[in-house]
Every structure is written in structure tokens, then in C-alpha cells.
Amino acid sequence: MTRAEMRKAAQKKGKGGGRRGDAAAAAAAAGPGKKRFIDYPRFGKTGVRRWLPSWKQWLSGFLLVFGCFVGLVFYLYQTTKVPELNDLVKDQNTIYYWADSTEMTRKGQTNRQIVELKDISPNLQNAVIAAENKTFKTDSGIDPKGMLRAVYNMAKGGETQGASTITQQYVKNAYLSQEQTLSRKVKEFFITLKINQDKEKGEILTGYLNTSWFGRGANGAQAAAQAYYGVDAKDLNVCQSAMLAGLLKGATYYDPTNPANKERAQGRWNWILDQMVDTKAITPDERAKCNVFPDPVPQKPSSNMNGEISYLVDTANKYVMATDKTITQQMIDRGGLKIYTTFEKDKVDALKKAVDDVKSENLNPQKRPDNDTNIQFGSASIRPGDGAIVALYGGDGVENGHFDNNADATGVQVGSTFKPFVLATAMQVGVQTAKDDKGKPKRINADSRYLADDMSEIRKPDGSLVIGDDGKPYRQKNEDSGKRGYVSLRQSMQFSYNVPFVQLNQDVGGQNVADIAVQMGVKKESLADPKTATFPLGTSTISPIRMATAYGTLAASGKEAEPYSVTKVEVSGVERPGFGKKEPKVALEPAVADNVTDVLVNVAVNGTGKKTKDLGRPVAGKTGTTDQNKSAWWVGYTPQLVTSVAMWREDPSKHERQSLNGTGGKESIHGGDIPTDVFTRYMRAALANEKKMDFPTPQPVGTEVDSSGAPSTATATATPTMTDTPTAPAQPQSQAPQPPVQPQPTQTCVPGVDCPGDQPTPSNTKNPHPGNTCLPLINCPTQPGPTDSSTPGGGGRPGGGGGKPTPSSTGGGGQQGVTAGQ
């Protein structure tokens, strides 16, 4: 009892407190009793003080914990064994498998040569020390602050960090795995202490330079010197050494072979040279001699990476590292992984054969060296609703000096293949120019009519004019100078008119279009500025893989399936979680996706994608050709398979896009020409053993909402239009007012693609488009469609800039003239 409790007990005794008071009084009389070994709660204290330990208790507790910690550290230090280096630094392979689990190829750390320190240039030694650990020659091998920072970040689930000192990095390279885990950090700490005690600094530096990964599959300084400069490690100069030292921070990000890394690599190279001056490894005069960045020699590919294999491996590696952040490129190159891919060998071979055959039939670099060289193709083939990438075409092969993966290329504008995203948005979100009975934007269908006259003014949803950078109303150019009048969005897609889709984009809102495209599978960072007027014409630079993914959403009736290339990964025999097919997400209403598909079937049957008729089964898709003819696309699909094909011309030394005009002896290259030919040949082989399937019959969606100024019609309908037979514009209703007859413009056409003789004829047995209205001599079946080419220039055509378009005919608003024909 406390003194207060004893005092209260004594008071109760005077009042005759009964048995309980007697007991308390007896306790008070007896005093505090026998002293406890640990006086807690503390005797004689009241309130909070009773529960606060005394300074003696604090000191005792601290000494106890500290003693236990020291004992634990001593125990771990004594029991930690340094593994045998020769047993751990050994060759392994990462093995890749086809979709049927047969072996595709092997890749591992076979490129390693162990050399003595005297055979490694002092320039490289000094550059590495200056870049990685200035105090290496004098420190204890441990960076306590760096260790605590790394442990803290890992404990809270943040970004992991690597070792700080050269000794720690050597231990990680030679004795431990590359995983950033707490247990591995603890092992690293104790092994580092022992290594620093047992080895001289020269031995540690030798081990580090022989076990470090420099990229290009090179493990160790000797292999790196040969891989990047074709010399022995002992012959590296100061400039070369600084570049190689920069790779140790992460060759994936600092290898200048990749154009995206060049600026970053040069910045680090300059910084390391400055650090070498700071550490007095070189003089300022020696530093001044490194005024030109030492570009590496061309990479020497391994023979087992020839053909399309290197691009398949590249795609699989990127997916693995994105899915499991603990797996790095260095870890993959060191070996020990089994990677099971989605790639089907027969389809990969068929896609390569289709590209090779089309190239051999159309291109002749010897005859046309100024036009038929540097022609690039990129393609991806994906299963809709699943996301499995079954085939890729990434380029001519590393054996031919082509290292970039064209299937995952960025920087190639997609042209009019972007227009289906605008139509899907109008059907799903609605147009702001009309409201439904709930006051929301009115959802429209493909019978909605928009003005298609060349050089038409474009208006905002409030009716005001879009103004160009020159202060004048912006006018959009089509691919020809025809006056088409008001045509349905179905026909606008069929002949890839630009004006209707630029206006439709204004009506639905560019940001809404961007959001729908992302929902369908496009990467947000690949999109151009949605505020520009020409955003709907394909100024975005979306990879073939992602274009196939987005069109696959249409093929799967609105379900977006994330693309994946790996089904299973094993590391040292243990399977890692998280790989394989992901649950599809609903991106579009099924009726919306199926109606857009119906419109794109019409493109394949009657429009710019007519070459796909040779496939002999239902196909939907869209062509795309950009301004100045710098790229040409076809993205198409059947219910079972979606395939994108991109074609462009690029100077590999400058990585600059060049015009395709004159390629193959043709004035210009169209999306409906060579890319569609590649698609058709490949799909014929890829689907040879699969039954023909029809697309779903589209359910009703939206209503006919004509743009401002369209002639009235009594046939506006809420029912969808379905392409069961070749599409032909319907004859105008008798009660519809007829505008003045426009003169038929003179234009060119592409034989076999869109000349008048190839236009569909009206069906006498079935009219699949009861809501369409055609105007004589303007948009009835007798008129020819536009060519699939893009004429250079064009009023306010899109580009990389974010400024407003101008009404000039040469592209304006400070924007590069780029897009979009068919």
C-alpha cells in the first residue's frame, strides 16, 4: 500500500470500517513489507510517477539491451562464414522458353575474363574509386549511414538502395544474391567486416572490378573493355575509363548505345572526370583532353540472339523487371533464371516471313538507295481478351546491326489509326453539343453526319471558332480538296476524312478522348497534348504493342487485357509470383465496342483496308498515314487475333524520321498498301488452323446527332448500323432538302484501293444503313474516295508542339505538319 492508502485505512479504522478497514490498518502498521528485486510499479509514488521508471531502471535496461546487442553481433560475426569465391562466381544461364515450354534461347554471364589488378588500367581503377567510393583506400569498408538508410527504406517498404562502398559492392557481387532484402543486408554487413579484415585493398579492388556488371553482357573490366572499345582493360585511356566507370551505377540507364541514354551518359561521364580531378587522380590538363565523348564501338551480338530472338528476349526482360522489381537486368545477365514466355514460334516465324517477303517484293536498295534504305517495320500480335503477346517483329536482327526493338518503338506517330478512339468516346461519353433528357452529353451513333469539306472551319462546343496561332480561324485539311458535304461518321471512317473527326473531337472533348484511349490500353505518356485541335489525327506516338492492345479491347467487346509476354519465372528453382494473365478490365460498354468494330469492318470491306479481303474471313481495322508520309500503319483484328503493323523510315545514325515518299518506286506509301499486305499475309498463316468467326452483332447505342448545319433528315434513328453486306450509302429521302450540287473535284486515286471502279455498289436486296443520307455528286456511291496518302503540309496539321494550329496550308501554329490520312 502507498502512504496515502495507509492514511486512508487508518481514518476508516477510527470510524469502524469493519473487516476491510481492519485489514488496511494492519497493512499500514506493517509498513512497506519486503523489498522487491525490481521495484516496479514504484513503491511510495503516486499517480504517473508510480509508473515512470527511475534513472537506475533506465540505465539498467539500456545496459541490458546493449549487452544483448553486442553479444548478438559478436555471435553473428563469429558464426558468419565467407563463402568460397570460386564456388559462387560461376557461369550460369538464364533460359527462355516458347509458349509450348520448348527452349527458345539461353543468355548468361558467359562473357567474363578474370585478370590481375596489374592488367587493369590505373585510369579505370582511379575512375571507379572517384565515382563509387572516394575514401576506399582508407575506410573500414562499411558506410553506416548508407546501411541504416537502406535498412530504413526497406523496412518501410520504400525504394531499395544498393551498397555504398566498393567493399560492400564487391561482397554483393561475389558472395550474395542481387536481391535487396533485410536478411541479405545483414549478411552483407558481416561478410564485409570479415573481408575488410582478411584482404588487402588491392585484392578487394581486383575482386570488385572482376565481378562488376557493365552491361552488354560483360561481367568484369576485361570483358567490358572488349565489349565497348575492343581493347584490353590495361589499355583503356582516361576518357574511356570514365565512361565505363559510369556504367557501374546502372548500365541499363547509362549505356550510351541506347539513344535515350546518351545525354544521361555524357552527363555522368563529365561528372566522373571532375571527380578524378578532385581526387587528384588526373590533372586539369589531362581532364581538358577529354573534350569529346568516347562513343563505344558497335555491339557484337551473340549468335543465339539472331533474327527476332533478341527482340523477344528484350520484351520478356522488360516485362519481368516491371512485374518483379527485385529482378534487375544485372540479375538476369548473371543467370540462374527460367523465363517462360507467351511467344508462339510458328507465329513469330510467320510474321517475320510476311515482312521479309513484302520487303523483297517492294524494296530495292541497290536500285533506289535514296528511297529504299533505312525502312523500318514494327509489329505486334496479341490475343484479344487475354493479352498474351504471341508474336513480334522488332527489326532486321542484331546480326544486321539493328538493336532497337521496333515492336516497342516510341516516336512513331500513329496517324488515322487514332480515329476509332474518337468515335468510341462519342458513343460512350457523348457530345457536348447536345444533351439527353438527363442533361448529360448525348451519346451518338455512326449514322451521325458531320461536314467533310476540305479546309473547313472547326468550332468549339459553344459554337465559337477555333483560332490558330496566326489569330485567324483554324481550317482543317483533308487528304484531297473535295467538297464532300455532310457525311456519316461511318463513311468518314471508311474514307478517313480528317475534318469530321477533328470537329467530333472538339464536340466530345480531347481530354475525354485521351481518357478513353488510356482505358483501352494506350500508355498515357505516349499521348500528345489532347488540347491541340489535331490531337484526333494521330500525333501521338504509341508503340505497336500498345496499339494492338487498344484495338484488342474492341475485338473483346470492350474488355481491356493488359499485354503480357511471360507466364512464369523461376529464380534458382523457385517460382516468383505475379506473372501471367491479368484479369481483364471493362474499358468500354460492349455495345460501344461492337459498334466501333462494325464501322471498322466497313473500312476493311469498302474503305482503305480493302487488301484484307484476301484473308477470306471477317476483319476489322484502320489504316493510318502521317503528314510528309513519315509513317504508315494498319491495325486490324479478327475475333481471335489482333495485329498492328507500322512502317517508317529512319536514319539509324541520327535516329531521325524520314519521308517514305518514293519508297518502292511509289509516289507515297499508304497504310492500306504495304502495312496491310504484311498483316494479310501473316494473319493468313497465323489463323490457318483456326475456324472463321464472325464479330458480335452490335446492339443499339446512341442516336443520330448531326453536327451543326447538317441538312435535316427524317431518318434519324437510335438503332445501330450493321455491316452484314458491303456498305453503300443509302439514297436520300424524298422529303430531305437538297443543297446546291457541288462540282466534282479532280483527284488522284490508288488503283485497286480507292479508284471509282472499286467503290461498292448499292445492294438491291438489303440496305444495312437505313439512317444514312447521301447527296448527289457529293457522297453517293459514284464518287471516288480519297487516296490513302497524306499530302505534305495541310492546314494546321498536328505535331509535337502544344501551340494552336494555324489555317495555313503548310502546317502551322509552330507545329510540325504531321498526320493523318488513312
Side-chain angles (χ1 to χ4, degrees):
M1 296 176 66
T2 65
R3 289 182 177 83
E5 290 170 337
M6 288 188 289
R7 185 166 54 251
K8 290 180 180 179
Q11 291 173 352
K12 288 181 179 180
K13 179 181 180 183
K15 297 179 181 180
R19 291 182 180 180
R20 188 171 180 181
D22 293 342
K34 185 178 180 181
K35 187 176 182 180
R36 293 175 292 175
F37 178 72
I38 300 177
D39 182 22
Y40 192 82
R42 295 168 66 191
F43 177 80
K45 303 294 182 182
T46 59
V48 177
R49 295 180 62 196
R50 187 170 181 241
W51 299 97
L52 287 175
S54 67
W55 68 270
K56 292 181 180 180
Q57 289 171 333
W58 277 112
L59 180 60
S60 299
F62 173 77
L63 292 175
L64 179 63
V65 172
F66 181 76
C68 291
F69 176 75
V70 172
L72 178 62
V73 170
F74 179 77
Y75 171 78
L76 291 175
Y77 181 83
Q78 291 296 324
T79 56
T80 297
K81 294 182 179 179
V82 179
E84 289 296 327
L85 179 63
N86 291 336
D87 291 338
L88 292 168
V89 181
K90 58 185 179 182
D91 290 345
Q92 298 184 73
N93 285 301
T94 289
I95 308 175
Y96 298 83
Y97 298 90
W98 294 105
D100 62 2
S101 295
T102 58
E103 185 174 320
M104 178 197 304
T105 191
R106 292 175 176 241
K107 184 178 182 181
Q109 59 173 34
T110 55
N111 187 14
R112 179 197 297 280
Q113 299 176 54
I114 305 296
V115 294
E116 298 295 329
L117 190 61
K118 63 181 178 61
D119 294 322
I120 299 176
S121 170
N123 295 317
L124 181 59
Q125 297 177 39
N126 292 330
V128 168
I129 292 172
E132 299 293 312
N133 184 190
K134 286 184 179 181
T135 62
F136 167 70
K137 294 183 179 180
T138 58
D139 63 29
S140 63
I142 292 291
D143 176 13
K145 290 183 179 179
M147 291 284 291
L148 290 174
R149 184 171 59 250
V151 170
Y152 173 74
N153 284 341
M154 285 186 286
K156 72 175 185 178
E159 186 176 345
T160 59
Q161 293 181 331
S164 298
T165 71
I166 285 177
T167 307
Q168 287 175 269
Q169 293 182 58
Y170 167 52
V171 169
K172 183 184 70 173
N173 291 344
Y175 299 104
L176 300 171
S177 71
Q178 299 300 306
E179 295 179 89
Q180 297 285 353
T181 61
L182 188 59
S183 61
R184 204 226 72 199
K185 277 289 180 186
V186 172
K187 289 181 181 178
E188 176 189 304
F189 178 81
F190 289 107
I191 294 177
T192 299
L193 288 177
K194 286 199 166 186
I195 289 290
N196 200 62
Q197 290 290 326
D198 297 341
K199 292 183 179 291
E200 298 292 333
K201 290 291 185 178
E203 293 181 84
I204 295 173
L205 185 59
T206 302
Y208 175 64
L209 291 174
N210 276 303
T211 58
S212 291
W213 179 72
F214 289 84
R216 286 199 177 185
N219 289 272
Q222 175 64 17
Q226 287 289 344
Y228 284 93
Y229 293 111
V231 300
D232 290 330
K234 63 182 177 62
D235 297 323
L236 290 166
N237 61 37
V238 172
C239 307
Q240 295 168 337
S241 297
M243 199 290 290
L244 291 179
L247 298 173
L248 295 174
K249 188 176 178 67
T252 304
Y253 301 101
Y254 291 96
D255 182 353
T257 305
N258 184 344
N261 294 341
K262 188 69 178 285
E263 183 176 350
R264 184 165 46 231
Q266 289 179 332
R268 183 156 177 79
W269 175 71
N270 278 308
W271 179 82
I272 290 174
L273 288 169
D274 291 340
Q275 297 306 303
M276 293 179 72
V277 174
D278 188 55
T279 58
K280 295 182 171 49
I282 59 175
T283 66
D285 290 339
E286 291 174 315
R287 163 70 177 91
K289 293 179 182 178
C290 291
N291 54 6
V292 177
F293 184 78
D295 286 313
V297 298
Q299 187 172 353
K300 297 178 181 178
S302 173
S303 60
N304 64 344
M305 291 288 138
N306 288 351
E308 299 307 300
I309 298 298
S310 68
Y311 312 122
L312 303 179
V313 167
D314 172 74
T315 303
N317 287 347
K318 287 179 179 177
Y319 182 78
V320 168
M321 291 185 287
T323 304
D324 188 334
K325 301 294 186 181
T326 66
I327 299 177
T328 64
Q329 185 65 54
Q330 180 179 0
M331 186 175 173
I332 293 172
D333 282 355
R334 286 172 66 94
L337 284 73
K338 291 184 177 181
I339 299 175
Y340 295 82
T341 75
T342 59
F343 305 127
E344 300 178 21
K345 188 177 187 304
D346 60 335
K347 290 181 173 58
V348 172
D349 292 342
L351 184 54
K352 185 178 188 310
K353 185 177 188 303
V355 174
D356 289 346
D357 288 350
V358 169
K359 286 170 63 177
S360 66
E361 294 174 16
N362 291 275
L363 305 181
N364 190 333
Q366 288 74 34
K367 183 178 179 180
R368 292 179 293 271
D370 294 334
N371 300 104
D372 289 5
T373 55
N374 302 330
I375 304 299
Q376 304 291 334
F377 287 85
S379 180
S381 189
I382 297 177
R383 293 200 180 278
D386 182 285
I389 305 174
V390 298
L392 294 175
Y393 182 86
D396 291 337
V398 292
E399 70 275 18
N400 295 314
H402 185 87
F403 298 97
D404 295 336
N405 184 357
N406 288 350
D408 197 28
T410 57
V412 182
Q413 293 181 325
V414 298
S416 289
T417 57
F418 197 84
K419 289 175 181 175
F421 303 143
V422 185
L423 181 59
T425 306
M427 290 181 173
Q428 174 117 345
V429 178
V431 293
Q432 303 172 47
T433 51
K435 304 292 182 181
D436 60 18
D437 53 6
K438 295 181 180 179
K440 296 182 179 180
K442 199 166 189 178
R443 299 168 64 176
I444 72 176
N445 63 23
D447 291 326
S448 302
R449 295 174 301 157
Y450 272 67
L451 182 64
D453 288 351
D454 183 48
M455 298 301 291
S456 293
E457 293 178 336
I458 303 299
R459 296 183 179 273
K460 299 177 182 178
D462 63 5
S464 63
L465 291 170
V466 174
I467 304 300
D469 282 348
D470 58 359
K472 298 179 182 179
Y474 166 62
R475 296 177 180 272
Q476 178 58 52
K477 182 172 178 55
N478 280 329
E479 299 313 305
D480 58 49
S481 59
K483 298 294 184 181
R484 302 299 179 187
Y486 286 84
V487 302
S488 70
L489 292 174
R490 174 182 299 277
Q491 284 181 281
S492 297
M493 189 76 76
Q494 175 181 344
F495 297 121
S496 204
Y497 297 137
N498 291 338
V499 172
F501 285 98
V502 171
Q503 184 59 63
L504 182 61
N505 180 74
Q506 288 289 325
D507 293 350
V508 300
Q511 188 57 56
N512 288 330
V513 174
D515 292 343
I516 288 293
V518 171
Q519 287 177 209
M520 293 174 66
V522 171
K523 286 289 188 180
K524 184 177 181 179
E525 55 268 26
S526 67
L527 292 175
D529 184 358
K531 294 188 293 294
T532 57
T534 47
F535 175 66
L537 301 183
T539 56
S540 299
T541 54
I542 307 166
S543 72
I545 291 176
R546 284 293 168 172
M547 284 302 293
T549 299
Y551 274 58
T553 299
L554 298 174
S557 295
K559 291 183 178 180
E560 187 268 336
E562 275 296 293
Y564 67 101
S565 56
V566 175
T567 58
K568 184 172 68 172
V569 173
E570 294 179 1
V571 179
S572 299
V574 179
E575 184 174 348
R576 292 294 183 90
F579 292 94
K581 178 183 177 181
K582 304 296 188 295
E583 191 65 27
K585 297 174 292 185
V586 176
L588 298 174
E589 293 180 12
V592 170
D594 293 342
N595 273 274
V596 175
T597 290
D598 184 60
V599 171
L600 298 184
V601 168
N602 184 51
V603 173
V605 174
N606 301 312
T608 55
K610 291 178 185 177
K611 281 194 174 184
T612 60
K613 290 180 181 179
D614 294 342
L615 190 56
R617 61 173 72 218
V619 177
K622 184 70 184 76
T623 52
T625 310
T626 58
D627 187 38
Q628 299 180 20
N629 211 213
K630 287 189 176 181
S631 63
W633 287 76
W634 168 263
V635 187
Y637 54 95
T638 68
Q640 305 104 312
L641 205 59
V642 54
T643 301
S644 62
V645 180
M647 176 184 178
W648 67 95
R649 188 165 179 244
E650 179 179 342
D651 183 344
S653 63
K654 299 179 181 178
H655 289 278
E656 292 178 355
R657 308 279 187 256
Q658 299 174 328
S659 176
L660 289 168
N661 290 338
T663 299
K666 302 179 181 181
E667 182 178 348
S668 61
I669 297 296
H670 323 126
D673 189 6
I674 292 178
T676 306
D677 193 7
V678 171
F679 169 89
T680 305
R681 297 186 190 213
Y682 161 69
M683 293 288 275
R684 186 186 299 118
L687 298 173
N689 298 321
E690 298 193 34
K691 65 179 182 179
K692 296 180 182 179
M693 293 180 62
D694 292 322
F695 291 107
T697 300
Q699 298 302 307
V701 64
T703 57
E704 180 179 330
V705 181
D706 298 334
S707 66
S708 176
S712 62
T713 174
T715 59
T717 177
T719 59
T721 54
M722 292 170 282
T723 307
D724 296 325
T725 60
T727 305
Q731 296 299 323
Q733 302 294 320
S734 59
Q735 65 268 38
Q738 300 297 318
V741 174
Q742 311 264 5
Q744 180 69 13
T746 302
Q747 59 183 349
T748 59
C749 63
V750 180
V753 178
D754 53 17
C755 282
D758 292 324
Q759 290 293 321
T761 56
S763 170
N764 294 324
T765 59
K766 185 176 181 181
N767 180 6
H769 303 298
N772 282 358
T773 301
C774 72
L775 305 177
L777 300 179
I778 297 179
N779 63 347
C780 282
T782 55
Q783 77 170 33
T787 67
D788 189 45
S789 65
S790 284
T791 54
R797 312 190 84 196
K804 296 177 183 178
T806 67
S808 71
S809 62
T810 57
Q815 300 185 30
Q816 177 187 358
V818 184
T819 84
Q822 286 65 27

